[in-house]
């Protein structure tokens, strides 16, 4: 018997078509979601079954046979996720890195990948330490935000280009449309994948800029409450989607139905959360720019950022759309003072990750990017006086007030030690 391909939940698909042309939040709330057909329950049911009754051997009662291969709760999330990125298909994985890993598993031994140099640390570790060593994929890391480097870095063996924009933590922006044009002109069969975690589908839709695949760590803005680890892959290419579905099923890095439900719930408020994070982040970035203890602020939303115009051009159109919630900066303080500053904040939480309702502070050199070797860190600009903020959706005056008192406390501390 032929192996079944991706089970499509027809009733959900048809229901979702009604909302296809509507605004972002309408799609986020309704796509893939449908009042329960028996009782009319409004929230998406969590279908915990691992296996499903069959009428005759191989003849399914419904659309599913075994939950690793698919279940109704996950299908609802797939449809919701595809609708947000303006894609036809989506596959859901148990983490962002599981999604990344599946995309790299599309390749074969000897295939080459061109990757932006300042890529997310975990992606870099997966590529360098696992895919290159165990699976024979060849990686080349280049500063692809500089379009001059794109064409000379491609070869006949290049099968995939991995982009991330803006990058983490130095927030470099690539002109995606132009970059993808250069790649496709060189060889239209090269697959271009964009990790869109930092902007979320609310701020940017890379498929509309020419990308073949969009990847998300749903752990960040999509879930939005620091309580789910998940990853997504979205594409308009049905052959790629079939292969990704097959890889998902074969490798088995799938999320639980309960986590899918939590994600669906989180995504429904993505629009208002992201809009608030966008305005809060811009205000925090402007505040930092004016502070005498701050050397330099990196945020593409600031009009004097060298990436401002490029980023503005490739944002989605719509009310509340902005430059994202991550702001980085260099402080005019030594490491001891910076640690004091970080420990003095009361509203902001010292923690890795980003993209949730609560605001976080991270010291990349000592935390998220500690595994990047010091030489590389220096090259990327991740110095000891470098701080990354994930601006959440608290009241702005409390966020800024908290930073102000923490900056002041550094001085007091210094005076105390002097006397
Ligand atoms: C967090 C993150 C990932 C990895 O996602 P996980 O869900 O932690 O596996 C990938 N890319 C970016 C940009 C991220 O921020």
């Amino acid at each position: 018997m032929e192996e079944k391909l991706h089970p499509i939940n027809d009733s959900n698909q048809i229901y979702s078509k009604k909302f296809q042309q509507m605004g972002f939040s309408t799609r986020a709330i309704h796509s893939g979601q449908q009042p329960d057909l028996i009782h009319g329950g409004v929230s998406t049911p969590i279908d915990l079954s691992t296996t499903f009754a069959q009428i005759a051997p191989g003849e399914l009662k419904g659309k599913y046979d075994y939950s690793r291969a698919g279940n109704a709760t996950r299908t609802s999330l797939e449809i919701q996720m595809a609708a947000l990125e303006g894609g036809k298909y989506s596959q859901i994985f148990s983490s962002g890195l599981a999604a990344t890993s599946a995309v790299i598993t599309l390749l074969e031994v000897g295939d080459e990948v061109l990757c932006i140099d300042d890529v997310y640390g975990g992606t870099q570790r997966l590529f360098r330490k696992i895919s290159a060593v165990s699976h024979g994929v060849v990686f080349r890391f280049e500063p692809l935000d500089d379009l001059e480097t794109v064409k000379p870095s491609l070869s006949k063996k290049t099968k995939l280009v991995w982009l991330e924009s803006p990058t983490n933590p130095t927030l470099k922006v690539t002109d995606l449309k132009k970059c993808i044009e250069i790649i496709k002109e060189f060889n239209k069969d090269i697959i271009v994948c964009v990790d869109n975690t930092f902007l979320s589908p609310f701020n940017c839709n890379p498929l509309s800029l020419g990308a073949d695949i969009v990847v998300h760590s749903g752990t960040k803005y999509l879930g939005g409450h620091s309580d789910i680890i998940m990853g997504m892959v979205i594409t308009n290419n049905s052959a790629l989607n079939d292969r990704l579905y097959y890889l998902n099923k074969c490798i088995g890095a799938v999320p639980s139905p309960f986590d899918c439900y939590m994600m669906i719930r989180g995504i429904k408020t993505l629009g208002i959360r992201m809009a608030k994070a966008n305005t809060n982040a811009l205000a925090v970035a402007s505040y930092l720019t004016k502070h005498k203890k701050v050397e330099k602020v990196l945020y593409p939303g600031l009009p004097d950022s060298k990436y401002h115009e490029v980023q503005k051009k490739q944002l989605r159109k719509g009310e509340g759309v902005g430059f994202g919630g991550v702001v980085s900066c260099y402080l005019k303080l030594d490491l001891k003072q910076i640690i004091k500053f970080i420990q003095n904040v009361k509203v902001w939480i010292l923690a890795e990750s980003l993209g949730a309702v609560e605001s976080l502070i991270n010291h990349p050199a000592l935390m998220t990017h500690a595994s990047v070797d010091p030489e590389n860190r220096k090259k990327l600009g991740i110095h000891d006086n470098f701080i990354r903020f994930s601006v959440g959706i608290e009241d702005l005056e409390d966020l800024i007030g908290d930073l102000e008192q923490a900056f002041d406390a550094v001085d007091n501390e210094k005076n105390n030690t002097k006397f």
Side-chain angles (χ1 to χ4, degrees):
M1 207 176 82
E2 280 269 311
E3 227 180 334
K4 281 181 300 297
L5 279 178
H6 184 218
I8 303 263
N9 190 334
D10 305 318
S11 59
N12 268 349
Q13 288 276 31
I14 292 160
Y15 185 75
S16 294
K17 282 216 170 97
K18 285 208 303 204
F19 303 103
Q20 228 165 31
Q21 302 305 322
M22 297 195 186
F24 184 88
S25 286
T26 310
R27 280 180 283 132
I29 291 165
H30 293 287
S31 299
Q33 320 307 312
Q34 177 181 23
D36 149 31
L37 298 175
I38 300 174
H39 302 294
V42 164
S43 106
T44 301
I46 306 172
D47 190 344
L48 291 172
S49 291
T50 54
T51 188
F52 301 85
Q54 308 198 3
I55 297 163
E59 192 186 327
L60 306 183
K61 194 159 190 275
K63 299 184 173 73
Y64 306 101
D65 55 2
Y66 186 65
S67 192
R68 173 168 21 85
N71 60 71
T73 316
R74 200 164 93 209
T75 304
S76 290
L77 174 56
E78 286 165 9
I79 297 168
Q80 184 189 32
M81 207 46 236
L84 294 191
E85 280 291 4
K88 284 193 190 137
Y89 315 101
S90 150
Q91 296 300 327
I92 313 294
F93 294 83
S94 54
S95 71
L97 277 173
T100 302
S101 175
V103 172
I104 288 303
T105 312
L106 289 167
L107 305 178
E108 289 171 4
V109 175
D111 284 349
E112 282 185 18
V113 176
L114 173 61
C115 180
I116 186 154
D117 58 350
D118 193 16
V119 74
Y120 173 72
T123 304
Q124 185 144 182
R125 184 174 52 196
L126 170 70
F127 289 177
R128 287 185 196 271
K129 305 265 166 74
I130 310 292
S131 311
V133 177
S134 305
H135 305 135
V137 177
V138 179
F139 291 88
R140 186 170 173 164
F141 295 87
E142 299 290 345
L144 301 175
D145 56 311
D146 174 5
L147 293 178
E148 298 289 308
T149 66
V150 180
K151 197 170 167 197
S153 309
L154 295 166
S155 88
K156 271 201 291 228
K157 289 188 180 161
T158 311
K159 288 282 156 60
L160 187 131
V161 177
W162 190 277
L163 299 168
E164 193 180 303
S165 179
T167 60
N168 172 31
T170 56
L171 304 172
K172 288 191 208 166
V173 177
T174 302
D175 187 326
L176 293 174
K177 196 154 181 255
K178 283 201 183 137
C179 180
I180 296 169
E181 270 166 19
I182 296 168
I183 296 162
K184 295 287 179 179
E185 200 171 292
F186 181 85
N187 176 359
K188 67 172 180 21
D189 295 331
I190 294 175
I191 301 167
V192 180
C193 179
V194 177
D195 181 337
N196 193 31
T197 301
F198 263 50
L199 285 180
S200 89
F202 180 73
N203 287 329
C204 182
N205 297 136
L207 294 178
S208 73
L209 302 167
D212 299 296
I213 298 176
V214 170
V215 163
H216 279 284
S217 167
T219 314
K220 316 295 164 54
Y221 289 105
L222 291 160
H225 296 75
S226 303
D227 54 7
I228 324 159
I229 298 274
M230 199 176 280
M232 293 82 170
V233 178
I234 305 99
T235 181
N236 275 318
N237 181 320
S238 72
L240 279 179
N241 179 61
D242 287 348
R243 185 69 187 161
L244 287 162
Y245 165 67
Y246 190 70
L247 289 169
N248 193 357
K249 178 168 90 167
C250 291
I251 295 167
V254 294
S256 73
F258 184 78
D259 279 359
C260 292
Y261 166 80
M262 295 276 283
M263 182 57 66
I264 289 169
R265 179 184 160 119
I267 286 174
K268 288 180 182 179
T269 55
L270 178 64
I272 48 171
R273 282 189 287 108
M274 201 71 238
K276 175 75 170 154
N278 287 338
T279 46
N280 272 358
L282 181 59
V284 167
S286 312
Y287 159 78
L288 290 169
T289 311
K290 289 177 215 123
H291 201 285
K292 62 180 191 305
K293 292 194 176 85
V294 176
E295 186 181 303
K296 187 171 183 211
V297 181
L298 307 181
Y299 185 64
L302 292 171
D304 60 356
S305 158
K306 70 169 173 173
Y307 297 115
H308 184 69
E309 288 308 319
V310 174
Q311 184 62 289
K312 201 165 135 187
K313 191 178 69 178
Q314 59 195 13
L315 293 178
R316 200 176 65 80
K317 305 282 171 281
E319 201 186 325
V321 169
F323 296 81
V326 179
V327 177
S328 296
C329 75
Y330 295 95
L331 299 178
K332 284 189 209 155
L333 299 173
D334 62 30
L335 187 58
K336 217 170 136 213
Q337 292 171 314
I338 289 175
I339 291 172
K340 204 82 236 168
F341 165 73
I342 289 172
Q343 288 181 325
N344 275 323
V345 292
K346 295 184 171 68
V347 179
W348 299 73
I349 300 170
L350 175 63
E352 302 194 356
S353 197
L354 60 111
V357 289
E358 60 277 338
S359 293
L360 306 178
I361 294 193
N362 163 40
H363 188 282
L366 295 177
M367 294 166 65
T368 44
H369 291 65
S371 67
V372 179
D373 69 78
E375 189 69 12
N376 233 347
R377 266 206 313 262
K378 209 168 145 198
K379 221 170 77 190
L380 296 170
I382 306 170
H383 306 307
D384 279 354
N385 67 336
F386 187 65
I387 300 276
R388 188 190 77 187
F389 300 91
S390 170
V391 186
I393 65 169
E394 297 96 334
D395 294 291
L396 181 61
E397 60 194 43
D398 295 328
L399 293 179
I400 290 183
D402 193 32
L403 293 178
E404 187 70 18
Q405 68 78 24
F407 274 128
D408 290 347
V410 171
D411 277 343
N412 298 339
E413 195 56 37
K414 209 169 148 199
N415 293 342
N416 287 347
T417 51
K418 247 194 229 161
F419 297 111

